[in-house]
């Protein structure tokens, strides 16, 4: 196993396949990759995680074609497809 025994999984973010640590949240995986704008506000401003505990809903992304999923509460799963910066 790479990196001191920590297993890795493969997910697809905005069409790009990446490897992330198993057990990581979607929000943490995106943050680690430098992706901080997860959605767009109705006025077109980029929005990202604020509370990281499921309260603010600013981290909503589309996961496996399901919109409005809170990235901070969702564990990344091997093969998961994530779309960020939607207008939803
Ligand atoms: S960061 Fe607040 S709900 Fe996810």
């Amino acid at each position: 196993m790479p990196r001191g025994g920590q297993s890795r999984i493969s997910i697809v973010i905005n069409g790009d396949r990446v490897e992330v640590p198993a057990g990581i949240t979607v929000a943490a995986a995106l943050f680690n990759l430098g992706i901080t704008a997860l959605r767009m506000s109705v006025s077109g401003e980029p929005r990202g995680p604020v509370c990281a505990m499921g309260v603010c809903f600013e981290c909503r992304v589309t996961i496996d074609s399901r919109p409005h999923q809170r990235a901070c509460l969702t564990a990344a799963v091997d093969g998961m497809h994530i779309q960020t910066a939607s207008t939803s």
Side-chain angles (χ1 to χ4, degrees):
M1 290 185 203
R3 294 194 179 188
Q6 186 174 32
S7 62
R8 314 241 333 143
I9 59 172
S10 176
I11 61 176
V12 178
I13 300 173
N14 300 331
D16 295 325
R17 184 168 296 277
V18 296
E19 286 196 357
V20 299
I24 196 169
T25 65
V26 170
L30 293 168
F31 186 81
N32 285 347
L33 293 166
I35 301 170
T36 57
L38 305 194
R39 69 181 193 92
M40 302 298 279
S41 72
V42 292
S43 58
E45 298 170 344
R47 306 296 295 185
V50 175
C51 72
M53 60 183 189
V55 176
C56 73
F57 285 73
E58 294 290 1
C59 64
R60 287 175 288 158
V61 295
T62 299
I63 298 176
D64 292 336
S65 301
R66 294 179 306 154
H68 307 295
Q69 304 301 303
R70 283 173 286 179
C72 70
L73 295 183
T74 306
V77 174
D78 194 55
M80 180 180 273
H81 286 245
I82 300 155
Q83 186 73 38
T84 67
S86 68
T87 55
S88 57

